[in-house]
Amino acid sequence: MTEWRRPLIRLLILALFFLAGIVLGQVFSGQVPDATGVELARYLKDYLQVEEDLTPQAAWSAAVLYFRYPLAAFLLGFASIGILLLPFVTGAFGFFLSFSVCCFTAAFGPDGVLLAMAVFGLRCAVTLPCYFLLAVPALERSMELAFLAFGRGRAPVDYGRDWWRLLAVVCGVLLGGMCAELMLAPWFLRQLLERILV
């Protein structure tokens, strides 16, 4: 049990699941048909039309994309099942990110890397650290809850001020990143699409 208490060990476990998700995403992206490039280009053009005016739907969509994995990690810290689900959520995060990026590169070649950076770059730079900042302590707390459930724990699980302060800081960072993406990403993506598709 003492080994689990070390943050570096928990971070390493979650990072390995994230890496496994990335590898699986690359493997499964090889099964995508060639017609995906046309569909992806149409999707990006439609995305830009929707994002030209900041609508409640666009803000809601961005909020879901930014907050879903970090909040899932935070909430799993309140359940003993989190000891099993947190690694799988981490793997799913890596899988869907890798799969999406690989689809861009398969459809557009080297230009797909730039497009993927325009679509996912800022979001990943913000959400990945925020996710792991919440997931590592959440894994410890869910592990402590699991030990308590099996009668092997001694003290109640601590959800003190630091736990809630961390959530507040992460939510502030996520909100800032979301606002920056809503303002900057459509412009940057439009510049790239004009260069690549026209």
Side-chain angles (χ1 to χ4, degrees):
M1 182 169 164
T2 55
E3 291 297 316
W4 276 89
R5 289 188 177 274
R6 296 181 182 170
L8 192 58
I9 299 289
R10 296 189 309 273
L11 177 61
L12 181 61
I13 289 168
L14 293 175
L16 288 173
F17 274 87
F18 187 78
L19 182 62
I22 288 174
V23 171
L24 281 174
Q26 290 176 347
V27 169
F28 279 93
S29 70
Q31 309 299 320
V32 174
D34 294 336
T36 304
V38 176
E39 294 173 14
L40 199 50
R42 188 170 56 241
Y43 165 78
L44 290 172
K45 288 178 181 176
D46 292 343
Y47 167 80
L48 287 176
Q49 288 176 349
V50 169
E51 295 293 320
E52 280 181 357
D53 298 320
L54 183 58
T55 63
Q57 292 88 354
W60 175 251
S61 176
V64 169
L65 291 172
Y66 268 79
F67 283 86
R68 62 184 169 178
Y69 288 112
L71 282 184
F74 178 79
L75 292 173
L76 285 171
F78 290 99
S80 57
I81 194 73
I83 196 171
L84 299 175
L85 292 181
L86 267 167
F88 289 107
V89 168
T90 307
F93 192 175
F95 173 84
F96 288 113
L97 176 61
S98 174
F99 183 82
S100 301
V101 171
C102 287
C103 286
F104 273 84
T105 55
F108 300 107
D111 290 329
V113 176
L114 290 174
L115 283 172
M117 285 182 63
V119 174
F120 305 111
L122 178 61
R123 187 184 320 151
C124 289
V126 173
T127 58
L128 275 173
C130 288
Y131 174 77
F132 282 102
L133 276 172
L134 290 175
V136 170
L139 184 60
E140 178 185 13
R141 283 166 176 81
S142 63
M143 185 237 10
E144 289 173 353
L145 287 170
F147 278 116
L148 279 173
F150 289 107
R152 301 181 77 185
R154 296 184 186 157
V157 179
D158 181 29
Y159 296 99
R161 287 184 182 171
D162 290 341
W163 172 254
W164 297 101
R165 195 174 295 134
L166 178 62
L167 175 66
V169 169
V170 165
C171 285
V173 171
L174 290 170
L175 188 59
M178 183 187 88
C179 292
E181 179 172 317
L182 285 170
M183 289 185 273
L184 299 175
W187 176 85
F188 187 51
L189 186 57
R190 186 175 294 107
Q191 305 306 312
L192 286 173
L193 283 174
E194 286 174 0
R195 193 184 129 232
I196 293 170
L197 298 179
V198 177

